[in-house]
Amino acid sequence: MKRAIVFAEIPAPYRVRVFEELAKEYELSVYFNQHINQERHVDYMVKDSSLNYCVLDTPEALARFNRSLKNLKQYDFVLDYHFAVPNGVRLMLASIYHKVPCFINNDGAFIQKNFFKNTIKKFLIKRAALCFGSGESSRRYFRTFGAREENIRYHQFTSLTEADILRKPLSIEAKQILKRQLKLEDKKTVITVGQFVYRKGFDVLLEAWKNVKGDYQLLMIGGGSMESSYLEFIRTNGLENVKLIEYLPKEELFKYYQAADLFVLPTRKDTWGLVINEAMACGLPIVSTDQCIGGVELIKNGINGFIVPVDNATALTEKISEIMQTDSLASMMSVNNLNKIQRYTMKNIAKTHIEHINEYFSQV
């Protein structure tokens, strides 16, 4: 069994569950850079796992990581999911020095104008043995920083299990039952999910919602620092059909997805946006912006949703209204999203990684 060091940012489910699958094939030493970041609710992190991992937030943990770098020749490869931070850079530099193959991962990124950081990225990325990416955005990122086309591999980035994905759209009756269970009004429902912060663009959604005509309700789920300003906007504009809900664990959140009729993510910037995968898994049409990489990768205009210009409330109003007012369009998009998302599981991410890693070693 090959041995590997794996490095990632935080013990989020979409990392830990993939690494658990990889651990069935390889002997892994897993390190996370920190327990949590500001982008995630503390309850989102994995608390139960068969994976033996270490978080680099104590002197003892860092000492253990340093010993691993010093003894890197004892490992067969490195899998670096967070190579843009100091510890990730150190791991890649150690792999180059010790001539241990390093496989890197990128699930979507915006290319920033920073000469110093970009110079480091170019040095590291063009020396990676394989570059795993989630689609065209990742390919463009890797190519910009010197990766060769033949070294780029693709996987279907997601936070889903097979059990999360519906096989067919829920009936109107099933949605009505869910609405009663959740104490929601029995009317067509638009849902959005994410932290209530400026970057998510929920202020633009509320501005758009003022002009959506119809007996609909809007559910905003996530909680956060901008909640009071949203409530003030709702009060000032007399929006009685908007409900703000705090962060929900996955099991509860999926009930709301399944009760809804349309998902909207008006983000100003998301390097993926896994809530889009989640909404697709529940058969929802999607409206998102051209600054959401997951949306751009997964959504085809008029087929399974719409992509609108960022910060454009008018465009949001138009596309929300078009889907909500056209049952045949919504039904088609629902079916298309379920068909598209079926293979987007964490188990398949691991399977793809294993196939390409084993293929690499069979050729060297």
Side-chain angles (χ1 to χ4, degrees):
M1 180 178 281
K2 285 184 167 53
R3 301 182 68 206
I5 287 183
V6 180
F7 179 75
E9 182 187 13
I10 53 176
Y14 58 86
R15 295 295 185 226
V16 173
R17 302 313 180 201
V18 171
F19 297 163
E20 287 172 345
E21 291 296 318
L22 292 177
K24 297 174 183 177
E25 180 79 10
Y26 311 115
E27 182 183 335
L28 302 184
S29 295
V30 179
Y31 294 94
F32 291 104
N33 201 49
Q34 55 188 340
H35 271 292
I36 192 170
N37 61 23
Q38 294 180 345
E39 297 291 314
R40 298 290 181 184
H41 192 281
V42 64
D43 291 336
Y44 182 75
M45 298 301 108
V46 170
K47 297 178 178 62
D48 60 321
S49 174
S50 59
L51 195 68
N52 181 22
Y53 64 81
C54 178
V55 181
L56 302 180
D57 60 353
T58 66
E60 293 77 15
L62 284 168
R64 176 178 165 184
F65 183 63
N66 290 337
R67 287 194 297 272
S68 293
L69 298 187
K70 184 177 180 180
N71 299 310
L72 201 60
K73 276 191 173 295
Q74 297 177 7
Y75 296 88
D76 297 287
F77 66 92
V78 165
L79 186 54
D80 196 338
Y81 276 71
H82 201 36
F83 53 87
V85 298
N87 283 325
V89 171
R90 292 176 60 220
L91 178 57
M92 284 200 74
L93 289 174
S95 74
I96 294 168
Y97 177 79
H98 290 290
K99 296 183 172 59
V100 175
C102 183
F103 310 131
I104 62 176
N105 185 88
N106 173 275
D107 298 313
F110 295 94
I111 299 171
Q112 308 292 337
K113 293 182 179 180
N114 185 311
F115 177 79
F116 178 71
K117 288 184 178 180
N118 289 348
T119 299
I120 294 174
K121 288 178 183 178
K122 284 182 180 179
F123 177 82
L124 296 174
I125 290 174
K126 69 181 181 181
R127 288 168 172 80
L130 291 177
C131 303
F132 289 99
S134 56
E136 176 58 27
S137 168
S138 296
R139 189 198 71 81
R140 187 166 55 248
Y141 179 86
F142 286 137
R143 293 290 287 149
T144 296
F145 293 113
R148 292 183 296 176
E149 191 74 44
E150 59 267 29
N151 289 345
I152 300 174
R153 303 291 186 272
Y154 299 98
H155 65 264
Q156 292 155 323
F157 182 48
T158 191
S159 57
L160 299 169
T161 67
E162 288 183 10
D164 294 329
I165 305 172
L166 296 178
R167 295 297 175 260
K168 61 181 181 180
L170 291 182
S171 65
I172 294 174
E173 292 75 20
K175 287 180 179 289
Q176 288 173 333
I177 291 171
L178 279 169
K179 287 187 175 88
R180 286 197 294 271
Q181 292 175 351
L182 298 170
K183 296 181 170 55
L184 299 174
E185 294 186 63
D186 184 14
K187 58 178 64 176
K188 283 189 175 181
T189 302
V190 176
I191 186 174
T192 190
V193 178
Q195 280 196 322
F196 295 171
V197 294
Y198 177 78
R199 181 174 63 82
K200 291 296 182 180
F202 296 142
D203 54 317
V204 183
L205 176 57
L206 286 171
E207 185 66 37
W209 191 253
K210 287 194 310 182
N211 298 309
V212 174
K213 308 301 181 185
D215 188 22
Y216 313 134
Q217 60 188 335
L218 171 63
L219 306 180
M220 300 173 60
I221 302 176
S225 59
M226 292 191 68
E227 182 168 347
S228 59
S229 65
Y230 297 161
L231 288 170
E232 177 62 21
F233 184 94
I234 291 167
R235 185 191 64 78
T236 301
N237 290 276
L239 301 179
E240 297 179 355
N241 55 352
V242 180
K243 185 174 184 179
L244 272 57
I245 301 171
E246 291 297 310
Y247 170 86
L248 295 172
K250 181 179 178 180
E251 295 76 13
E252 191 69 15
L253 175 61
F254 268 60
K255 295 177 185 177
Y256 283 87
Y257 281 130
Q258 291 173 6
D261 301 282
L262 169 65
F263 179 81
V264 180
L265 184 62
T267 182
R268 291 184 168 96
K269 191 174 187 180
D270 253 299
T271 53
W272 186 263
L274 286 166
V275 288
I276 286 183
N277 298 60
E278 294 173 354
M280 290 175 67
C282 296
L284 297 184
I286 309 294
V287 177
S288 191
T289 74
D290 55 10
Q291 293 302 299
C292 177
I293 289 177
V296 172
E297 294 282 359
L298 293 172
I299 304 306
K300 303 302 179 187
N301 278 320
I303 304 300
N304 59 341
F306 291 108
I307 298 298
V308 301
V310 70
D311 276 329
N312 192 322
T314 300
L316 268 182
T317 299
E318 290 175 356
K319 295 310 179 185
I320 290 171
S321 300
E322 183 174 349
I323 293 173
M324 296 297 278
Q325 293 171 7
T326 314
D327 290 344
S328 59
L329 178 64
S331 295
M332 178 193 73
M333 289 179 170
S334 176
V335 171
N336 288 342
N337 271 332
L338 286 178
N339 289 339
K340 187 178 186 71
I341 206 68
Q342 291 298 321
R343 284 188 51 78
Y344 279 75
T345 67
M346 292 180 285
K347 184 172 286 189
N348 278 338
I349 294 177
K351 181 181 177 182
T352 301
H353 277 62
I354 290 168
E355 288 173 353
H356 289 307
I357 290 170
N358 289 350
E359 179 187 35
Y360 171 86
F361 282 109
S362 72
Q363 296 175 353
V364 295

